[in-house]
Amino acid sequence: MSAEQQNSNTNNSKFLKGTMILTISSIIVKVIGSLNWIILSRVLGGEGIGLYQMGFPIYLMAITVSSAGVPVAISIITSEKLANKDYRGAKRVFNVSLRLLLISGLIFSSALFFGADFLINQHIIRDSRAYYSIIALAPAVFFVTFLASFRGYLQGWQIMTPTATSEVVEQLVRVITMLVFADLFMPYGLAYAAGGASMGAGAGAFCALLVLMWFYRRLKRRLHAEIEAQDDSIPTESAGHIIKRLLKLALPVSLTSLMLPIGANLDLLIVPQRLEAAGFDVRHATELFGYLTGMAVPLVNLATIFTAAMTISLVPSISESRALERFDAIRDKIRLAFRVAMIITFPCFMGLFFLAEKVAALIYNAPGAAGAIQTMSVGILFLGMHQISTGILQGLGKTAIPVINMILACIVKVVMSWWLTAIPFLGIKGASMATVADFAVAAIINMGFIYKYTGFTFSLGSLLKPLLASGVMGAVIYAVLSLTEQLGMWCVLFAMVAAVPAYALALIAFGGLNKEDLDNVPFIGRRILAVGQRFGFFK
């Protein structure tokens, strides 16, 4: 193996290691969050949860505007500096961004705290009791905005452990604080209890900031000698130019983040209304809307945790190769990212497609959601592709392109949702199809731009091999469900136990998984390879 190939494999393994670390942390965060939601609902009840939720849309808007795109922007510029051995420049980017976000965090945090009365008086927030929830969220805006600079800087070094650790600590502290203060303030009334629960966001963000500061100090001590020894001939970038670059990269990413709540609000405006036009009464239309937005979409998001994590890890990795003008390395990383993503998303799609009815009944106790879940399962493929392609374009410094493509895709979604949802025999399936089309259009246009800037295209084999292996897995699931139907919900467990080895063996048989793939997988890749070779595979 040549030195260049060895270096490429090391970089690929590094970026996959970061992906796996972020994936594990995301799963832990979601599990903790789910348990918290169950317990908090019992403490506050429906009315208290409503008060708690009223302040959150404003809070999410504040942190999105103040900091959403900044970690990505910082990681891009930092990775560029590090690729060129400009350690002093990387540190300067961090220092400038830290001051910028300190000011931004103070402004938006103060605006939320002192603007709470205005939101209540103008009836933007309908229930005045939500006042305490709003002001309790104000400190969180500051801490979340401030810690964005630390996350972005450490991600620029392609060190994902700090982000993962801080996210888990943030969620854990948030949950404990929410439950403790909600219970503590309950004797004073629901409004105070909901405000107490909202304090968890600030406490969690503060502890996450402490964790990131600890990791930053360790990195700073390690790099002190390199920074001191750096060649003075490397020009120093002015603070104004750094801020200009940060804003240029960050604003489109923030707009991309804003597209998600905008899309959700468009669904709220269109889908129930068009379901009524299809002949459903108000209650049934609301129920069907809940099937899509509250059941099907969360399952798709859950299935794409890995690709979402990969996006974060991919941005600085692509940016580093771009700075060094290693275009072959960029194409190699893109190829690996999509290859791994397809190996993960194809079986997730096939599994959810065949298990939709059982999952709807088992998890949600709502068999009627099966249609929306089954239709949305295809969205796993396109959402995963969209996430990866967005990360690639951001790493290439083309952060404006994904948001433009999302706007175009959103227009397609609105048109299709208006038309298909009103067709009686489709109903909520029509709205699900429109959401899948939204993901697909954005992903496909992104791929066009990736081809334009890198020359990368999918090979037929990279698509067919995981598709065929997933088809075998789907047939196994269908067979197991048919044979064990009399066992009730236990058949889901049997189907899943049979599906995993069926997919793995089929993927190996079709040549979709080879020795080089497993060599690149950190932690468990070589162990799986050793076991496989013991049984005669991967020779």
Side-chain angles (χ1 to χ4, degrees):
M1 183 184 293
S2 68
E4 188 176 343
Q5 286 177 318
Q6 192 170 4
N7 185 54
S8 176
N9 287 343
T10 301
N11 288 337
N12 289 342
S13 181
K14 185 179 180 181
F15 126 70
L16 286 177
K17 180 181 178 180
T19 299
M20 291 188 68
I21 289 169
L22 290 172
T23 301
I24 292 167
S25 70
S26 296
I27 292 170
I28 294 171
V29 165
K30 285 189 178 292
V31 169
I32 295 171
S34 299
L35 293 173
N36 165 64
W37 199 246
I38 293 169
I39 300 170
L40 188 66
S41 297
R42 292 180 180 275
V43 174
L44 294 180
E47 190 178 1
I49 289 290
L51 292 173
Y52 168 77
Q53 285 288 89
M54 279 184 176
F56 253 83
I58 306 294
Y59 163 72
L60 291 175
M61 187 68 72
I63 61 172
T64 298
V65 174
S66 65
S67 65
V70 174
V72 173
I74 296 172
S75 72
I76 290 171
I77 301 175
T78 300
S79 61
E80 289 175 2
K81 298 287 185 186
L82 297 175
N84 293 307
K85 308 297 182 184
D86 185 7
Y87 302 109
R88 205 172 292 154
K91 184 181 177 183
R92 182 166 173 77
V93 168
F94 170 72
N95 290 335
V96 170
S97 67
L98 196 67
R99 290 194 293 269
L100 180 66
L101 290 179
L102 173 65
I103 296 167
S104 174
L106 284 171
I107 290 170
F108 282 93
S109 179
S110 301
L112 187 60
F113 185 85
F114 294 108
D117 275 327
F118 174 81
L119 294 171
I120 299 292
N121 294 335
Q122 296 300 312
H123 301 290
I124 296 171
I125 304 295
R126 305 293 295 180
D127 195 323
S128 60
R129 294 177 299 168
Y131 172 80
Y132 301 105
S133 296
I134 298 169
I135 61 170
L137 287 168
V141 174
F142 171 74
F143 292 124
V144 169
T145 302
F146 192 58
L147 66 79
S149 55
F150 286 91
R151 276 186 181 153
Y153 179 66
L154 292 165
Q155 286 169 13
W157 280 88
Q158 298 184 55
I159 306 172
M160 300 301 160
T161 304
T163 295
T165 307
S166 67
E167 286 177 349
V168 172
V169 169
E170 181 177 2
Q171 182 75 322
L172 195 60
V173 173
R174 176 174 171 266
V175 165
I176 293 171
T177 307
M178 285 171 69
L179 296 175
V180 168
F181 281 100
D183 186 62
L184 188 65
F185 289 126
M186 183 58 78
Y188 301 98
L190 268 182
Y192 288 98
S198 297
M199 291 171 66
F206 174 71
C207 290
L209 177 61
L210 294 179
V211 169
L212 290 167
M213 289 174 71
W214 182 78
F215 277 103
Y216 169 73
R217 286 182 180 278
R218 283 184 62 191
L219 180 64
K220 187 179 177 181
R221 284 198 299 269
R222 198 180 81 193
L223 291 171
H224 180 73
E226 284 87 341
I227 291 171
E228 291 297 318
Q230 184 176 311
D231 187 359
D232 290 332
S233 64
I234 298 175
T236 302
E237 196 172 4
S238 69
H241 190 259
I242 291 172
I243 292 172
K244 185 178 178 181
R245 284 200 68 199
L246 283 171
L247 294 177
K248 185 179 178 181
L249 291 168
L251 286 176
V253 180
S254 295
L255 289 173
T256 302
S257 301
L258 282 173
M259 285 301 298
L260 299 176
I262 288 170
N265 284 318
L266 288 172
D267 279 341
L268 179 61
L269 291 172
I270 294 170
V271 174
Q273 178 184 347
R274 297 306 286 168
L275 285 170
E276 290 176 39
F280 299 98
D281 60 38
V282 174
R283 288 186 64 186
H284 197 187
T286 302
E287 182 182 20
L288 291 172
F289 180 69
Y291 289 162
L292 172 62
T293 58
M295 299 181 187
V297 171
L299 286 173
V300 171
N301 290 334
L302 185 65
T304 53
I305 281 179
F306 183 86
T307 48
M310 185 184 285
T311 300
I312 298 171
S313 188
L314 194 58
V315 172
S317 184
I318 294 285
S319 183
E320 177 191 43
S321 296
R322 178 175 61 87
L324 296 172
E325 297 185 350
R326 292 177 180 168
F327 301 109
D328 286 340
I330 290 174
R331 283 188 287 272
D332 187 45
K333 287 170 184 174
I334 294 172
R335 191 177 296 109
L336 177 65
F338 279 117
R339 181 179 172 82
V340 174
M342 286 186 288
I343 288 173
I344 299 293
T345 56
F346 269 103
C348 288
F349 143 63
M350 198 66 72
L352 190 59
F353 183 85
F354 281 99
L355 292 170
E357 187 177 341
K358 301 294 184 183
V359 167
L362 182 64
I363 297 178
Y364 297 120
N365 193 29
I373 292 172
Q374 194 169 57
T375 306
M376 280 295 297
S377 65
V378 186
I380 294 170
L381 300 177
F382 292 114
L383 180 57
M385 185 188 295
H386 176 247
Q387 289 169 335
I388 297 297
S389 59
T390 296
I392 291 166
L393 289 169
Q394 288 173 347
L396 291 171
K398 310 296 182 182
T399 57
I401 291 174
V403 70
I404 295 169
N405 295 343
M406 284 185 74
I407 292 169
L408 295 174
C410 191
I411 293 170
V412 172
K413 177 184 178 180
V414 167
V415 173
M416 289 186 65
S417 194
W418 183 270
W419 173 45
L420 295 176
T421 309
I423 299 174
F425 74 88
L426 287 178
I428 200 63
K429 287 184 180 180
S432 303
M433 291 175 185
T435 303
V436 171
D438 179 22
F439 301 152
V441 170
I444 291 168
I445 302 175
N446 277 358
M447 291 306 303
F449 280 99
I450 289 172
Y451 173 74
K452 176 182 176 181
Y453 293 115
T454 69
F456 171 81
T457 55
F458 283 119
S459 66
L460 188 61
S462 66
L463 290 168
L464 280 179
K465 289 170 185 176
L467 178 60
L468 291 172
S470 298
V472 172
M473 187 195 81
V476 169
I477 291 174
Y478 182 79
V480 172
L481 290 177
S482 300
L483 292 171
T484 59
E485 192 172 1
Q486 70 278 8
L487 297 177
M489 287 303 166
W490 283 100
C491 65
V492 176
L493 179 61
F494 289 121
M496 291 175 68
V497 168
V500 174
Y503 176 68
L505 291 172
L507 191 64
I508 294 168
F510 289 127
L513 190 66
N514 54 42
K515 184 177 181 295
E516 186 181 346
D517 293 330
L518 290 173
D519 270 335
N520 282 326
V521 176
F523 307 127
I524 60 171
R526 292 183 181 179
R527 291 178 177 85
I528 295 172
L529 181 61
V531 173
Q533 287 176 332
R534 196 172 297 172
F535 286 94
F537 298 109
F538 309 115
K539 294 297 185 183

